[in-house]
Amino acid sequence: MATSETEDLKFTPLNEWHIAHGAKMVPFAGYNMPVQYKEGILQEHLWTRANAGLFDVSHMGQCFIISDAWEKTARAIEALVPADILNLKPGQQRYSQLLAPDGGILDDLMITRSAYPGWDGTAYVVVNAGCKDADYKHIAAHLPAGVTLKIDDNLALIALQGPKASEVLGAIVPEAKTLAFMTYHSATLDGVHLHISRSGYTGEDGYEISLEARHVASFCDRLLANPLVKPVGLGARDSLRLEAGLCLYGHDIDTTTSPIEADLKWSIQKRRREEGGFPGAARIQKELKEGPSRLRVGIQPEGRQPAREGTEIFAVENGQSRKIGVITSGGFGPTANAPVAMGYVEAAFAKADTPVTLLVRGKELPAKVAAMPFAPHRYYR
Amino acid sequence: MTTYFTKDHEYVRVEGDVATVGITDYAQSQLGDVVFVELPGVGKSYKQGAEAAVVESVKAASDVYAPISGEVVEVNAALADTPAMINEDAEGKGWFMKIKIADKGELAGLMDAAAYKAHTA
């Protein structure tokens, strides 16, 4: 199977660990990544929703934006993203998007304000693997004097997700149990520094843990020693985030979609909506006021057949069927025990329960617009 | 009773002039968890190599081709409710359809068990 495509693959610090645990490895965003382990996507998905799944997300980009004062750092970031960064409290984390001048999305990312004494001017930023080189270039090119970007390639990132994640991590780091959603705690375990945030991308309670790459395999072994934990691959990560109604960059959001079209209005706080001052503000403020022409919605096909990415969506208007949108992510939701999808439709058809028709493999498949998430969010609040 | 295999991972179990058709155990292991199967209607006729069924796993959708020309005389209706049977017993209870063989000469172009094993090695 070794082809020229795989020769340039990069490896996370857990590559050998995945193989030792029976992973099926596939190329993803330039990395050799585990798509599943022995039990398969379905079981790994259900295990995460019932217990705790351990994910390697070390392929994602981890970097720091640094100045001598939070206000300086925050203002520099606010010139690139539409979220309120200035009002982040020390230790608080927020989801946002890097925007292009026309309001299209260059990437989505997590931004955390440091709570380390003496590091108050530092933001910790996590970006997508497939976009990270372009993101770093974009960020570095737009930072003002006195604000710098520091890329850290020596960090690993793992996620522990599921209703038992708190019990598992709390057994070795007690402070993790009561850590607030979207904040982080800095812990030291047997001399290893752990940056633990209460966040994730499955819709479940859980953590994302950043630590030095050289320690990550032994830390994963320690988590896996708890029988509530199983390793989970990218396949289940995709079905979990799809059921949770969360966007996958390059599929549900990209440079052609605005955050408002993507139904990410909630991620733009009030001050920024009013003041603007981010790339594409004119378009985004117009869409906030008048509504976007299309909107990302959930799509629930009838029956059992999944409708995949690229499936065209039709609806009847004035007695005539016409194309009103397209599916951007679709598959089978093991928890929903049904096919689930999301995509963009013209705004007039975005209301939940609107009947639509999907063209799947040349056949018409009845479906409806559905409220998301397909599996309820169970974050720690 | 002889079983033949295609390069696209269908099996053909011949009993008299009827062939039981499904996907191989190797195919199901590559597909992963099967969540949906679309079977042809009884009475439909297919040419060898024509798309006759669809199998969808959590990962992806795949076509199943008629490994031999003929008329569909029976389909495995149980798969509609329990598609996971394909993962559990692909070459047994997870069969897709029975085809009345139109031309036994086509069987000569298929692989035997040993050749298929080599094909998937």
Side-chain angles (χ1 to χ4, degrees):
Chain A
M1 295 278 284
T3 66
S4 56
E5 257 174 56
T6 59
E7 274 167 20
D8 297 332
L9 275 186
K10 290 181 275 189
F11 302 96
T12 79
L14 285 170
N15 192 63
E16 300 305 316
W17 190 92
H18 296 311
I19 293 164
H21 287 85
K24 187 186 282 185
M25 305 298 286
V26 298
F28 178 82
Y31 282 81
N32 193 42
M33 295 298 288
V35 64
Q36 63 170 82
Y37 299 82
K38 281 174 197 147
E39 292 188 29
I41 296 171
L42 199 74
Q43 292 309 317
E44 290 170 24
H45 177 115
L46 295 171
W47 182 268
T48 304
R49 291 252 188 264
N51 297 289
L54 178 60
F55 303 75
D56 179 17
V57 284
S58 301
H59 57 316
M60 298 183 85
Q62 300 183 72
C63 66
F64 298 88
I65 298 174
I66 304 166
S67 82
D68 56 10
W70 180 250
E71 185 173 347
K72 203 191 277 182
T73 301
R75 295 239 183 250
I77 299 172
E78 285 195 355
L80 303 173
V81 308
D84 192 331
I85 303 303
L86 204 53
N87 79 349
L88 280 177
K89 295 181 184 75
Q92 192 183 358
Q93 174 177 347
R94 190 161 274 166
Y95 170 80
S96 194
Q97 307 87 33
L98 275 182
L99 295 180
D102 66 355
I105 302 174
L106 299 171
D107 197 6
D108 59 345
L109 72 175
M110 286 287 188
I111 300 159
T112 304
R113 178 175 177 179
S114 174
Y116 295 104
W119 285 51
D120 193 46
T122 298
Y124 164 62
V125 176
V126 180
V127 301
N128 280 302
C131 303
K132 64 184 176 185
D133 294 336
D135 289 353
Y136 293 154
K137 229 171 139 179
H138 175 78
I139 293 168
H142 289 84
L143 291 180
V147 185
T148 54
L149 171 72
K150 182 173 171 274
I151 299 161
D152 197 331
D153 284 332
N154 294 313
L155 291 175
L157 188 64
I158 57 170
L160 184 69
Q161 300 280 298
K164 300 289 169 64
S166 167
E167 183 184 330
V168 170
L169 191 60
I172 51 176
V173 183
E175 299 88 339
K177 278 191 191 170
T178 52
L179 185 65
F181 182 57
M182 293 297 270
T183 69
Y184 85 89
H185 170 72
S186 186
T188 303
L189 188 69
D190 300 338
V192 177
H193 177 249
L194 305 173
H195 173 106
I196 301 169
S197 68
R198 195 140 204 177
S199 54
Y201 221 61
T202 60
E204 297 297 325
D205 181 22
Y207 305 90
E208 290 168 301
I209 304 160
S210 173
L211 69 164
E212 271 187 88
R214 65 197 169 106
H215 296 303
V216 69
S218 58
F219 184 66
C220 286
D221 284 340
R222 187 156 178 181
L223 291 173
L224 204 61
N226 189 319
L228 293 169
V229 180
K230 284 188 182 178
V232 177
L234 289 178
R237 184 172 162 81
D238 191 51
S239 55
L240 287 159
R241 70 91 201 164
L242 173 57
E243 279 185 345
L246 301 170
C247 293
L248 180 62
Y249 190 82
H251 300 261
D252 310 302
I253 48 176
D254 58 28
T255 53
T256 70
T257 59
S258 80
I260 308 306
E261 291 175 333
D263 200 20
L264 298 172
K265 191 163 67 177
W266 58 269
S267 69
I268 309 177
Q269 287 72 27
K270 188 162 172 280
R271 178 178 63 84
R272 305 297 322 271
R273 290 188 200 185
E274 289 165 3
E275 287 178 6
F278 47 83
R283 170 188 178 181
I284 287 168
Q285 287 175 318
K286 184 168 183 276
E287 287 178 355
L288 279 165
K289 201 169 147 202
E290 299 169 10
S293 60
R294 58 176 186 157
L295 203 58
R296 183 178 63 95
V297 295
I299 300 285
Q300 176 82 68
E302 261 180 39
R304 305 285 295 174
Q305 184 168 21
R308 312 274 176 185
E309 179 177 359
T311 300
E312 296 185 329
I313 306 170
F314 293 81
V316 176
E317 192 178 43
N318 302 328
Q320 287 252 297
S321 177
R322 66 179 181 87
K323 187 185 165 190
I324 57 147
V326 65
I327 283 177
T328 51
S329 279
F332 191 81
T335 303
N337 192 24
V340 292
M342 63 171 86
Y344 286 82
V345 297
E346 291 176 19
F349 299 91
K351 223 177 139 207
D353 297 323
T354 302
V356 295
T357 302
L358 309 175
L359 199 60
V360 178
R361 308 174 74 85
K363 279 187 200 151
E364 291 186 351
L365 179 66
K368 63 175 187 184
V369 175
M372 288 194 286
F374 295 102
H377 290 166
R378 299 193 292 180
Y379 302 132
Y380 178 78
R381 303 274 192 186
Chain B
M1 189 177 82
T2 314
T3 306
Y4 301 87
F5 300 87
T6 71
K7 64 174 173 36
D8 297 314
H9 310 288
E10 291 96 9
Y11 64 83
V12 184
R13 185 174 300 119
V14 179
E15 286 165 274
D17 58 357
V18 173
T20 302
V21 172
I23 65 167
T24 64
D25 188 57
Y26 173 83
Q28 74 74 23
S29 73
Q30 293 297 304
L31 280 171
D33 306 294
V34 175
V35 295
F36 175 82
V37 184
E38 185 180 295
L39 295 169
V42 171
K44 278 200 85 166
S45 287
Y46 292 93
K47 287 269 184 225
Q48 188 178 37
E51 289 172 20
V54 177
V55 57
E56 298 222 19
S57 70
V58 175
K59 271 183 256 177
S62 306
D63 290 312
V64 177
Y65 305 103
I68 191 153
S69 304
E71 183 190 335
V72 176
V73 291
E74 192 180 342
V75 295
N76 188 358
L79 293 182
D81 290 328
T82 54
M85 210 135 72
I86 293 163
N87 295 115
E88 287 155 22
D89 190 12
E91 296 179 28
K93 287 179 186 160
W95 62 277
F96 278 49
M97 60 194 131
K98 293 185 181 176
I99 294 178
K100 186 157 187 251
I101 303 169
D103 176 8
K104 281 204 168 183
E106 288 175 355
L107 293 170
L110 303 178
M111 286 179 267
D112 63 12
Y116 181 68
K117 201 174 168 194
H119 176 64
T120 55

